[in-house]
Amino acid sequence: MPVDLAIVLGILAIAIVLFVSERVRVDVVALLVLVSLGLSGVLTPEQAISGFSNPAVITVWAVFILSGGLSRTGVAGILGRQVLRLAGDSETRLVILIMVTAAAMSAFMNNVGVAALLLPVVMDIARRTGRAPSKLLIPLAFSSLLGGLMTLIGTPPNILVAAAAADRGLEPFDLFDFTPVGASVVVAGIAYMALIGRRLLPERDVRRELVGGETELGDVYGLKEGLFALDIPGDSPLAGMTLAESRVGSGLGLQVMAVERKGRLELAPDPTTALKPGDRVLVQGPATTLEDLGARAYLTLESERVELEELVSPGVGLAEATVPERSRLIGQTIRETDFRHRFHGCLVLSVWRDQAPLRTHLASAKLEVGDVLLVHGGLEELERLSDSADLSISPIFDPFIHELDDRLMACSIPSASPLCGKTLAETRLGDVFSLGVMGIIRGDQKRLIPHPDERLEAGDRLLVKGRPEDLRAAEGLHGLPVDPDAGPDDMSALESEHVGLGEIALSPRSSAVGKTLPELRFREKYGMNVLAVMREGSVRRDLRYLPLKFGDALLVHGPRSKLGIVGDEPDFIVISERVDEPLSDKAGMSALIMTAVVGSVIAGLAPIYIAAVAGAVAMVLTRCLSMDEAYRSIEWRAVFLIAGMLPLGLALQVTGAAELLTTGVVGTVGDLGARPVLIALYVLTALCAQVMPTSAAAILIAPIALNASVDLGLSPHALLMAVGIAASGSFMSPVAHPANVLIMGPGGYRFTDYTKVGLPLTLICLLVTALVLPLVWPLTP
C-alpha cells in the first residue's frame, strides 16, 4: 500500500474515532485533519488550506448572515407566527402546519435558526391548547431538517455535494434542482408524522409531572419554597444604602424580588433603590443561606488604621509594576486578568493613575497604559514578575503615595461568627464586599498573603484592606432579622403589567455554556434576576457557582421589556410566552434582499456564492443587522468544520483512497443494478451522519459517489443528490444534529424517543428518494 494512501486512511480512521467519541470538538478535529494533511506532505500547503477559499464555505457563512438578517428584522418570526395561528386545536392540523411552516422557512434559512426561532412559538401553542410540548417539538425539529433538502442553500450538505460536482468539472446544481426530490421527501415526512409519527411521540409534560398538573412558571420551579424576607431595622448600617451598596443580592447569593415599604410592593427594584428603616426586602434563594443570616457577630473592628509596614515580612514585600504600551492587560479589569493566579499569588493593592491612587473596587477597574500597580506578594514571586512582558517592575521609591493607611484595618472573628470554618474563598469578602484579607494573625503567628483555601477560626485577627463602611455593610447584612415565611400566598403578587416571570434556554451556539451567572454578569447586563435553573428534570436554586449547560432552562424575573433584550441576544432563547414585537422597519428591505439573491441565482446572473455574499453585504449596508450581529449569526464551528474537512475529500481523491473505498461499495452492490448502488450510498451516508457532523459525512462520501458513477456509468448528479439528502437526515438520535438537542430539554425527551420516531422516518426518506430521484435525475445516461 502506498505511504500516502496509508496516511490518508489513518487520518480518516482517527477523525472518525474522534467524531464518535466526542472527546474533541468537531471543528478542532477538522483543523487537526487539515494540519495533518499539510505536515505529512499528502497535500501541498496551498491544498491543505484551500477549504477556506472553497465556494461551498463562502456560501455557507453568507447564508448564515442572510438567515440572521431575516430573523433580526422580524420577517421570519412574523411569518411563522401568522401561519401557526391558523392551526386551531386539532393535533393533526397542528403537526402539519408546524412542519410546513418550519420546512418552508428552512429552505432558505439555517435549520437550527428556524428551530430556535419557532421553539417559543410552539411552546406557546402547547400551553394555549393544553398539549404536552413533547407532541409538537420533535415534529418542529425534524421538519427544520427536512426543509433544508428543498434548495441548494437549505443545508450545508447540499452546498457541499454541489461543490464536489463543480470541482470535477460537472455541470453545477442550480438553486432549485433539489426541489422535486426534496419536496417529495418533505411531503412524505409530514404525512408520516401526522398519521403515524405523532402517535409514537411520548405524552410528556415536564412541568405537569413536576408540580402535579400546575403549569404556572412559579409553581413549576417551586418559587415559594425559596422565598423569605429580610427586615431593615432602624439602627441597621444598611439604612440609607442602595441595594447595590448593601450587597443584599451579591453578598448572599440571593435574588431581590421586591421591596415592601408601607404596605406597598416595589417589584424588581432597581439596584439604585435606597433602603430605609422599616423596609422589608423580599428575596429568593437557597435555604442554606438562612444559616448565615441573623448572626449577632460577624467581624469585630479592632482598628480602623493599620500601618503599611504590617504587610511586610522577611519573605513578603511590595513592588511597583507599570503597564507598558504593548501589554496584553490593557483594557482588561484586574478580575478578568485573573491577576492572582496569573502572577503567582501576587495581589494588587492600589493603582496609581493621573497623579492619584485608585484604592477600592479594583477588581472592576480596567487597566490603562502607564498605570502603576502597587503589588503585594512573596519576594520570589515579585522577582518573577520581571519575566512578564505585560508588566515592567521597578523599585518602590515612595509606597506611601498610595495612601493605604486609611484603607488598612484590623478585625477579629468572634466565636459565633458565620465565618468560622469557612475558607477565604467561601467568605467572598473580596469579591462581594471589596474587603481583601492581606494577612491572618493566629496566636503569635502572622501569615501574610493567605491562600484562598485557608480556613478561618474563631479568634483569628485579620489584616483587611477596604473601607470601614464596606465592613459595616457586611456586618449589617449578616445581622438582618429574617422572616422565612414572608412569601405571598399568591405568587401572582410578584408580577404586574410591567414586571413578571419568564423562562429562557441556552441557544445552540451560546457562549454562556460552562460559565456561571456572576461570570456572565447576567443581572448587570440584562436587568433581570435568574431565580432557578431546571436541569434534567430537577430544579437548582444555589446558582452562585453553577456552570450553565446546554439544555438548561432558566427562570428569570424582572421588567417584561427586558425579556425581549435577552431574546435578542445570540446566547439565549426565550421559551416562555412573550408579547409579539412589531415588524421592524427593515423587514421589507431584508425580504427584498433575499428575493434578489434567489432571483439572481435563478436568472443565472451570478453564482450562488457571489449572490449570497452580495446579499450578506447588502444586509449590513442597509442596517438590517450590524456587522457584529452578522459575525454572531455565523455558526463558526460549522465553517471551520467544513473548511478543515474539505482537504480530506481532496486527499481521498488524489491518493486513490476514494477509489479504494469505491471498490468496496461497487464490489458489494454494483452487480445488483443502479438503484441498489444509490440505496447503498444513501445508507452509508445516513449511518455516518448519526455519528459525525452532517457536513463531514457529505464530504467523505461525495468522492466515493463520484467514483462509483464513473466506474458504473451512472449519473453523478443523482448519486450526489442522494448523498446530500442522506447526510441531512439526522433523525435517529438527539446528538445527531443541534436542532434535535435544542428541543430535548423543553420537550422532556429521552434518547429512545428520537430512535422510535426517527428510524421509520429515515426509512421513509430512503424509500421516497430511491423512487423519486431516478425519475428526476435518471441513474443511467
Side-chain angles (χ1 to χ4, degrees), residues 274-433:
L275 296 174
K276 296 181 179 180
D279 282 352
R280 169 166 280 201
V281 183
L282 190 63
V283 295
Q284 195 273 347
T288 53
T289 305
L290 295 173
E291 300 171 2
D292 288 347
L293 296 174
R296 294 299 178 186
Y298 186 69
L299 278 173
T300 301
L301 179 63
E302 293 188 351
S303 173
E304 290 193 10
R305 193 177 184 91
V306 174
E307 297 298 326
L308 189 60
E309 288 82 354
E310 288 282 348
L311 302 184
V312 179
S313 71
V316 178
L318 300 168
E320 278 187 335
T322 303
V323 180
E325 289 186 1
R326 296 185 179 181
S327 174
R328 292 171 294 179
L329 306 181
I330 296 172
Q332 297 186 60
T333 65
I334 292 177
R335 178 185 289 114
E336 290 170 344
T337 64
D338 194 13
F339 196 94
R340 180 166 190 167
H341 181 266
R342 186 172 186 170
F343 295 106
H344 323 298
C346 294
L347 302 173
V348 178
L349 303 185
S350 171
V351 177
W352 181 263
R353 179 187 296 168
D354 298 330
Q355 302 302 309
L358 301 176
R359 300 170 298 176
T360 54
H361 304 294
L362 293 180
S364 58
K366 289 191 174 183
L367 296 176
E368 300 177 1
V369 176
D371 282 349
V372 180
L373 314 182
L374 181 63
V375 183
H376 184 226
L379 296 181
E380 293 183 3
E381 285 72 22
L382 292 176
E383 286 185 14
R384 291 170 63 186
L385 287 179
S386 59
D387 298 332
S388 171
D390 296 316
L391 292 172
S392 176
I393 305 300
S394 61
I396 297 178
F397 296 101
D398 186 6
F400 298 101
I401 64 171
H402 292 271
E403 302 175 10
L404 283 178
D405 285 350
D406 62 347
R407 288 290 189 271
L408 295 176
M409 303 174 287
C411 309
S412 61
I413 300 179
S415 59
S417 172
L419 296 179
C420 294
K422 288 187 176 181
T423 66
L424 281 175
E426 291 170 344
T427 67
R428 304 190 74 217
L429 288 171
D431 290 345
V432 177
F433 299 104

